[in-house]
Amino acid sequence: MDTFKALLITRDEATKAQAVGEATLSAADLMPGDVDIRVAYSTINYKDGLAITGRLPVVRRFPMIPGVDLAGTVVASASPDYRPGDEVILNGWGLGETHLGAFSQMARVKADWLVPLPEGFTLQEAMAVGTAGYTAMMAVMAIEAHGVGFDQGQVVVTGANGGVGSIAVALLSRLGYQVAAVTGRSQHPDYLIGLGAGEIIDRAEFTGAPKLLGKERFAGGVDAVGGTVLANLLAVTKMHGAIAACGNAGGMELPTSVAPFILRGVSLLGIDSVYAPKARRLAAWARLARDLDRDKLAAMTTVIPFSGIVPAAHDIVAGKVRGRLVVEIG
Ligand code: NDP
């Protein structure tokens, strides 16, 4: 492939105004790396929405090809670990932030960042999971490791209609947990019930001024929104329970107190997927292969063309996307 198509974010250094458009690039435009990949699929995560709309300073280098997740086929490799024809995926590691990313027919990356296509997934399914799904899995593993079992009472998932939320609901229900789904779209419960939620809670219940403590309600949970919602969840988490916090769709702040931590022994478990070490990634993908219901994954996934990336980026930061969006790149 002498030239290839990519989405490019540029910035006017005088005004700091950002522009996004399709560009034709060549291999010489790519950043250093030891493996060249023909990208087949990518996906739209919340962070891609922030990068493309410029709503938060996700992009650290201009020009930048956005896209934090890719799945594709190796076409050239200077690494002994990969050969042409190998199918691989990449989640995070600064892709689309500091390193040219996934919304491109070609990518050049470090071999250490790659994971062989996990067994049991097609390239397209791996992107339906994407960073959102693999983060949801790491959050579920974190509360399990803390000792929150399915026999300890209801668990809660926030941002439930989103990518992380949808996959967390599907995983937890498959694992036998009673799942309460917190959503701003409670008037359309069928989707979440289909994924396995036992109770749908309107987000408005968790957006008031947080109390120091409330009636104990959830044994644990996965929070994708942060802000006041997370503060309210902590106040109603049961004695010795744990909430895995992985997102900020509802805000970066956390207006809580020490009360849940020192009076109920509640734990707040931080989840970072971007720079997670390879062993943890492989463990999460192995669990996804075992615990994620493929029919539910298909039911929450919409495939969009390359031309749909920019509109989808605006939709995701506006909270309008449901489930997961896969982008056909190749
Ligand atoms: P999505 O946009 O798909 O999901 C976010 C969901 O949050 C929305 O669907 C909506 O769900 C809810 N939401 C939207 N706006 C608000 C608001 N103002 N207040 C409260 N809830 C809101 O995003 P993703 O699932 O891809 O990502 C979710 C979060 O997780 C993001 O903040 C993302 O940056 C973060 N993330 C972090 C990672 C990490 O490594 N720590 C990795 C991956 C994602 P509903 O309509 O049901 O309420």
Side-chain angles (χ1 to χ4, degrees):
M1 205 184 277
D2 292 338
T3 61
F4 56 88
K5 181 173 70 173
L7 195 71
L8 207 60
I9 303 178
T10 52
R11 186 169 74 169
D12 180 324
E13 288 309 320
T15 63
K16 303 291 179 207
Q18 193 174 296
V20 187
E22 217 174 288
T24 301
L25 304 181
S26 68
D29 296 312
L30 293 173
M31 290 168 72
D34 42 12
V35 182
D36 284 2
I37 297 159
R38 181 176 291 119
V39 182
Y41 296 98
S42 183
T43 171
I44 309 281
N45 292 284
Y46 190 79
K47 190 183 266 181
D48 300 314
L50 294 176
I52 289 172
T53 60
R55 216 164 92 183
L56 280 182
V58 166
V59 176
R60 304 288 176 184
R61 167 217 196 258
F62 294 92
M64 174 54 70
I65 300 173
V68 307
D69 278 331
L70 67 77
T73 306
V74 172
V75 292
S77 172
S79 159
D81 297 333
Y82 295 98
R83 282 186 294 188
D86 287 350
E87 293 185 311
V88 291
I89 62 168
L90 199 167
N91 309 109
W93 288 117
L95 210 65
E97 300 180 62
T98 53
H99 193 92
L100 293 178
F103 300 147
S104 167
Q105 290 173 315
M106 290 295 297
R108 179 174 296 144
V109 300
K110 291 189 181 163
D112 288 348
W113 297 345
L114 293 169
V115 167
L117 178 67
E119 214 169 306
F121 289 100
T122 63
L123 291 172
Q124 186 175 324
E125 284 173 332
M127 287 297 98
V129 175
T131 283
Y134 128 80
T135 302
M137 188 74 248
M138 290 206 299
V140 169
M141 290 164 75
I143 63 167
E144 282 177 343
H146 188 81
V148 177
F150 61 82
D151 52 354
Q152 288 173 17
Q154 202 176 35
V155 292
V156 64
V157 174
T158 63
N161 273 282
V164 172
S166 294
I167 295 190
V169 170
L171 286 169
L172 287 164
S173 76
R174 169 90 170 241
L175 291 165
Y177 290 85
Q178 294 298 316
V179 184
V182 175
T183 177
R185 292 176 259 185
S186 59
Q187 68 279 25
H188 303 297
D190 293 357
Y191 168 80
L192 291 170
I193 290 169
L195 294 183
E199 185 185 358
I200 311 297
I201 303 174
D202 195 285
R203 188 200 299 158
E205 271 195 47
F206 293 95
T207 52
K211 294 182 189 158
L212 288 185
L213 290 174
K215 188 169 180 293
E216 291 180 59
R217 188 164 177 186
F218 304 116
V222 174
D223 174 62
V225 311
T228 310
V229 172
L230 175 55
N232 275 296
L233 280 191
L234 290 167
V236 297
T237 301
K238 287 185 179 179
M239 186 72 82
H240 301 149
I243 304 289
C246 63
N248 63 339
M252 272 290 192
E253 76 287 0
L254 182 54
T256 188
S257 75
V258 295
F261 309 114
I262 64 173
L263 299 179
R264 289 197 178 142
V266 167
S267 293
L268 182 58
L269 310 173
I271 305 297
D272 160 62
S273 67
V274 180
Y275 295 104
K278 193 160 185 173
R280 201 174 305 156
R281 290 167 188 262
L282 293 173
W285 278 101
R287 284 290 306 275
L288 283 158
R290 192 189 83 184
D291 295 331
L292 183 59
D293 182 320
R294 298 303 194 282
D295 291 338
K296 288 183 181 172
L297 181 64
M300 71 176 81
T301 302
T302 307
V303 180
I304 64 170
F306 193 94
S307 59
I309 295 173
V310 174
H314 286 270
D315 284 348
I316 202 165
V317 293
K320 290 184 190 162
V321 170
R322 168 166 289 151
R324 300 281 301 130
L325 296 178
V326 168
V327 184
E328 261 175 343
I329 302 281

